[in-house]
Every structure is written in structure tokens, then in C-alpha cells.
Amino acid sequence: MSFDFAGKAVLVVGASRAGIGSAIAHAFRDAGAEVAITGIEDAPAEKDRGLFPYHQVDVTDAAAIKALAGRVPTLDVLINGAAITSRGEEMDPAFFAKVVDVNLHGTFRMAEAFHAHLARQGGSLINIASMYAQFGSPKNPAYGASKAAVQQLTKSLAIAWAPDGIRVNAIAPGFIVTAQSEKSRQDPTHVANVAARTPLARWGQPEDIAGTALFLASGAAQFITGACIPVDGGYSIA
Ligand SMILES: NC(=O)c1ccc[n+]([C@@H]2O[C@H](COP(=O)([O-])OP(=O)(O)OC[C@H]3O[C@@H](n4cnc5c(N)ncnc54)[C@H](O)[C@@H]3O)[C@@H](O)[C@H]2O)c1
Ligand SMILES: O=C(O)C(=O)C[C@H](O)[C@H](O)CO
């Protein structure tokens, strides 16, 4: 049941912009893990520089992912959080394809590349889905479709890799204040509507997601696989 991750190696993919990935990285670091982070940016957010080894890896670049897997000797926990979305721009077929490539194929590419690492350790894979996996999202159709697919992929990988001792789960955050949601937060009606519809009556902060990642990777979750846990202040049940 331990939440002590001393001696465990954790890689958080998509943690470069001081958002959810960064909060998860800090939580594992505080719990004693050796944590490395990735992102598409040249460098991580200023607050995280020097705290975590950083790998600039594009999740659409299979060769770069393979090279990363070759550089990482051992891995106990992989968090897949790289994603893009752009409100109001996702009916464009080229951008739709890009969103699916990053969010869905990128998640699978990373998972597949580290499958052997996780199998060696009896490790844990955690994918970041979204409450948009459940709801129609007219302004983010590619994002919603990709996150529904990430949730479904989580179930398939959980079954496929259970014999390897790997547990595969997902987290479905609600509306969280990060760089990704910045564009949508320019719309005051949207900001107010989200809080009004959320039973806990606020937007989430990146730190709200971190404890669930820690839990899912811990021994306390040893009989949980294929689950997708909403962390959304009750948005999805209201
Ligand atoms: N913010 C929200 O409201 C919210 C809600 C539900 C789910 N999520 C999910 O949480 C995760 C973290 O998002 P966030 O809100 O912290 O946003 P963020 O923009 O801070 O994080 C996204 C990360 O993805 C990385 N990324 C983007 N394109 C990439 C590419 N091609 N290759 C590699 N990395 C790439 C970025 O570098 C960044 O580190 C994402 O999966 C996001 O979809 C966010
Ligand atoms: O719900 C998510 O997964 C999002 O990232 C939503 C963003 O906050 C934003 O509303 C998208 O337009």
C-alpha cells in the first residue's frame, strides 16, 4: 500500500509547460521517485529547470521516441500526457489529423516503445484522457475523439499487458487552469459556465490531478487496471 516511490523511475511525457504533467512530476519527486520529463518545447518551464532531466521529444516522431527508449535504462511508471487542442479550429481536416496524431498515436507510440521497460519492472502506465472523452465537444471535435480513443486504448492495453504484470489506467481531468486551456479561458461565459456546472464550483488546478496519478501507480491500486478515473470536481456526474 506504499506511496513511497524511492528507487522508482518515472517518466512524465508532456510536462514542459508547468501544467498537469509538471504537477504529476513534482508529486512523484516528493514521493521519492527519480523523475524525468518530456515535452515539445526546447526547455521545460522555468520553475522546473534543473529539477528534472528533460527530454525534448516529439511524440509524432517514432525515431526520436525509439532513441529515447534506448537512452532510458529502466522505467517503473510512464505517464502519457502530451496533447494539443485548439478550440474552434478542429473541423479543419489537416489539423484534425494532427490532433489525433499527437494525442492518440503519440500515446500509443510512447506506450509501445516502453512496453518492454515496464514489463521488466512490473510497471504502471497512466494515460491522461479528458472528460471530453465522454462529452460531445463541438469546438474541439478532434480532441474529444482522440481522448475517447485514449480511454478505449487504455482498456485494450490493460488486457493485453496484464500478463506482463503491467497495469494500465487513465485519468480524465475536468477543466483545469493550464496553458492548454488558456484560449478557452478567454471566453468569460465558458469560464463561468464550467464553474457553475461543476458541483465543486470551480476550475481545477494541475495539483488536483497529481494525487490520482500517484495512487494509480502505487501498491494501493494493485488490483486496478483498465480504469479511467474522472478528476473533475463532479462535472461529469452533474
Ligand atoms: N487543461 C485541461 O483543462 C485539461 C483537461 C483534461 C485533460 N487535459 C490533458 O492533460 C494533459 C496535460 O495538459 P495540460 O493542460 O497540462 O497542458 P499543457 O499544454 O501544459 O501540456 C501539454 C504537453 O504536451 C506536450 N506536447 C504537445 N505536443 C507535443 C508533441 N507533438 N510531442 C511531444 N509533446 C507534445 C507539450 O510540450 C506539453 O508539455 C494533456 O493530455 C491534456 O489533454 C487537460
Ligand atoms: O478538457 C480538456 O481536456 C481540455 O483541455 C479543455 C480545455 O480546457 C479547453 O476547454 C479546450 O477548448
Side-chain angles (χ1 to χ4, degrees), residues 31-81:
E34 286 172 32
V35 184
I37 64 174
T38 85
I40 191 78
E41 285 74 25
D42 292 340
E46 199 162 339
K47 77 176 184 72
D48 291 335
R49 281 182 208 159
L51 289 182
F52 306 102
Y54 180 67
H55 305 279
Q56 183 187 26
V57 175
D58 184 340
V59 298
T60 68
D61 183 343
I65 291 172
K66 194 168 174 216
L68 174 67
R71 287 200 301 277
V72 173
T74 182
L75 194 66
D76 296 281
V77 181
L78 175 66
I79 315 282
N80 261 326

Side-chain angles (χ1 to χ4, degrees), residues 13-21 38-41 54 57-60 80-84 98 102-103 128-131 143 147 172-181 203:
V13 178
S16 50
R17 301 212 296 170
I20 292 168
T38 85
I40 191 78
E41 285 74 25
Y54 180 67
V57 175
D58 184 340
V59 298
T60 68
N80 261 326
I84 54 170
K98 173 77 181 171
V102 173
N103 300 6
I128 309 297
S130 165
M131 80 284 166
Y143 183 79
K147 291 297 189 175
F175 291 86
I176 313 297
V177 177
T178 67
Q180 182 179 279
S181 63
W203 281 60

Side-chain angles (χ1 to χ4, degrees), residues 71-109:
R71 287 200 301 277
V72 173
T74 182
L75 194 66
D76 296 281
V77 181
L78 175 66
I79 315 282
N80 261 326
I84 54 170
T85 185
S86 191
R87 191 171 153 90
E89 294 178 53
E90 297 187 3
M91 292 293 184
D92 170 62
F95 190 61
F96 190 104
K98 173 77 181 171
V99 171
V100 173
D101 195 19
V102 173
N103 300 6
L104 173 60
H105 296 270
T107 292
F108 178 67
R109 282 186 197 102

Side-chain angles (χ1 to χ4, degrees), residues 172-225:
F175 291 86
I176 313 297
V177 177
T178 67
Q180 182 179 279
S181 63
E182 197 173 339
K183 188 174 179 192
S184 71
R185 285 184 287 108
Q186 306 301 313
D187 175 354
T189 309
H190 173 68
V191 172
N193 285 348
V194 166
R197 179 178 155 176
T198 303
L200 294 183
R202 65 171 174 87
W203 281 60
Q205 296 296 327
E207 293 70 25
D208 289 320
I209 309 302
T212 305
L214 219 56
F215 164 69
L216 284 173
S218 77
Q222 64 193 0
F223 201 48
I224 301 180
T225 199

